[in-house]
Amino acid sequence: MKNIYEATSETIEKAASVIKTGGLVAMPTETVYGLGANAFDNKAVAKIFEAKGRPSFNPLISHILDIEQAKEFAILDERAIRLASKFWPGALTLVLNRKENSSNMDMVCAGLNTVTVRIPDNKIALDLIEKSGVAIAAPSANVSGTISPTSAIDVYDSLGEKVDMILDGGKCKIGLESTIIDLTTKNIVMLRPGGIAVEEIEKFMGEPILFSKGNHKLPTSPGQLLSHYAPEKKLRINVISPEKDEIFIGFGKMKCDYNLSEKRDFLEAASNLFSMLRLADGDKSQPKIAVAPIPNENLGLAINNRLDRASYPR
Ligand code: TXA
Ligand code: MG
């Protein structure tokens, strides 16, 4: 594990020079660990696709320091400014129209004329962006289609030494990816439920938000791929009584092997989701996994969205 470094001002400085010279750095964010590269360096971004084994039609999120930085390459309308001012730094990603002079972002935008940004709520990530002096493109730091990483060791287990440096910032606070909102159409559309509840965004904007399930054969967002976030083991959802050959992941007070949240707290459940899926996957006691029902409200929507895809028959 010689590429894992505890995040200190020296190691962040070193990681910034890796970013500036076109390398890959895995960084902690409040949602999940990201596999970062200079968003303005098409070749560096290509290394991300290669390391993840990700289908190249998927655009990546550019992580930035402040709203001013977004204005350099994206067009922010009044809705974007309102949302950004309210929820950034935080688990909200905005899909925006891209400015024309940004061919250095062709790779990160996967050739689309939209660009996707957020300010992460994590001091290490912000420090790294600042010291690098660029926007940092970062998808989740795992092999495409597998469970997202919420600790430095998860990143290492998935990507090993394909990453130049993994900055260890401990466990991610939220543990679930950001909510993605598309602002390039008249109606506000959610492409992926995530760390900020859509109800909260709707309430703040005072208008309904549509949920696009998209075309899963040509997704605008991999959150829309039917099989994604998948463990190796077969997984059943909405299970009340598990079979003998299933490891049971519970929610609320119940007999189970792992409990997402005894208190039925959505934030706690979200932050445990990926790590418990990973534990259940590695648990040799039973060959299958079952998960108890989670109410489809608040962050439960994002949790169920991930579980649906994790359970899709492959
Ligand atoms: O919390 C997160 O969002 C984490 C951390 C590292 O920031 N990142 C993350 O990235 O989950 P990724 O690449 O695994 O998911 C980003 C999603 C993808 O599903 C991608 O297809 C979608 O955002 N996306 C990016 N740009 C897009 C665009 N222009 N139009 C539609 N979807 C877009
Ligand atoms: Mg991902």
Side-chain angles (χ1 to χ4, degrees):
M1 288 176 283
K2 57 182 192 297
N3 55 350
I4 299 188
Y5 297 78
E6 189 193 332
T8 63
S9 60
E10 288 80 49
T11 56
I12 296 173
E13 193 73 60
K14 188 171 143 90
S17 64
V18 170
I19 294 284
K20 283 191 272 195
T21 52
L24 297 182
V25 174
M27 62 175 183
T29 81
E30 81 281 33
T31 59
V32 299
Y33 274 69
L35 179 59
N38 179 353
F40 307 134
D41 178 342
N42 290 323
K43 211 167 132 203
V45 175
K47 289 188 192 166
I48 298 179
F49 290 97
E50 184 183 52
K52 279 184 66 84
R54 169 178 257 209
S56 55
F57 52 67
N58 288 333
L60 306 177
I61 300 171
S62 293
H63 296 73
I64 54 171
L65 208 53
D66 51 36
I67 296 181
E68 287 313 303
Q69 195 179 5
K71 289 182 184 161
E72 288 167 20
F73 50 82
I75 299 164
L76 282 83
D77 63 10
E78 186 249 344
R79 297 180 304 183
I81 299 285
R82 273 187 72 199
L83 280 168
S85 315
K86 165 81 176 169
F87 293 104
W88 284 354
L92 178 72
T93 293
L94 299 179
V95 178
L96 303 168
N97 284 310
R98 184 178 154 188
K99 284 196 169 159
E100 271 180 18
N101 62 347
S102 58
S103 60
N104 57 345
M105 296 185 85
D106 280 344
M107 198 56 146
V108 71
C109 300
L112 302 177
N113 52 14
T114 53
V115 60
T116 308
V117 282
R118 82 178 186 99
I119 303 180
D121 186 16
N122 178 291
K123 209 181 153 300
I124 298 164
L126 291 172
D127 226 24
L128 179 64
I129 299 166
E130 183 167 25
K131 289 187 165 129
S132 308
V134 294
I136 297 187
S140 51
N142 57 308
V143 170
S144 203
T146 63
I147 305 170
S148 297
T150 53
S151 72
I153 195 79
D154 293 344
V155 177
Y156 185 83
D157 286 345
S158 190
L159 295 172
E161 273 147 39
K162 290 182 194 160
V163 195
D164 298 307
M165 273 182 88
I166 301 172
L167 282 176
D168 189 348
K171 195 169 182 256
C172 299
K173 200 168 64 189
I174 297 182
L176 190 75
E177 295 88 344
S178 60
T179 303
I180 304 182
I181 296 289
D182 187 350
L183 291 178
T184 62
T185 47
K186 188 164 166 287
N187 293 307
I188 305 180
V189 179
M190 178 173 69
L191 299 179
R192 177 179 75 183
I196 292 179
V198 66
E199 292 92 331
E200 199 187 331
I201 304 171
E202 273 185 334
K203 197 165 147 218
F204 175 72
M205 292 305 279
E207 62 178 294
I209 294 178
L210 310 178
F211 182 17
S212 157
K213 293 224 157 159
N215 173 353
H216 64 266
K217 294 219 175 89
L218 212 170
T220 43
S221 196
Q224 298 171 342
L225 286 169
L226 287 177
S227 174
H228 203 64
Y229 314 104
E232 303 272 326
K233 290 181 183 171
K234 201 162 180 256
L235 180 141
R236 272 197 319 136
I237 52 177
N238 291 320
V239 174
I240 308 224
S241 21
E243 303 290 338
K244 284 214 166 53
D245 63 351
E246 288 174 327
I247 292 168
F248 190 41
I249 301 181
F251 180 74
K253 275 220 174 343
M254 59 178 71
K255 192 171 164 286
C256 56
D257 302 294
Y258 303 96
N259 201 320
L260 290 170
S261 172
E262 275 203 18
K263 293 178 295 193
R264 299 178 69 81
D265 178 88
F266 284 121
L267 258 181
E268 184 182 41
S271 74
N272 282 330
L273 179 68
F274 291 137
S275 51
M276 288 186 178
L277 281 177
R278 197 172 285 109
L279 282 172
D281 215 20
D283 188 327
K284 300 261 184 311
S285 65
Q286 299 302 340
K288 297 179 184 170
I289 306 171
V291 187
I294 320 275
N296 217 15
E297 62 192 52
N298 203 287
L299 289 192
L301 197 69
I303 296 173
N304 284 326
N305 171 279
R306 304 303 186 273
L307 285 172
D308 271 351
R309 281 159 178 78
S311 68
Y312 190 77
R314 279 160 285 149

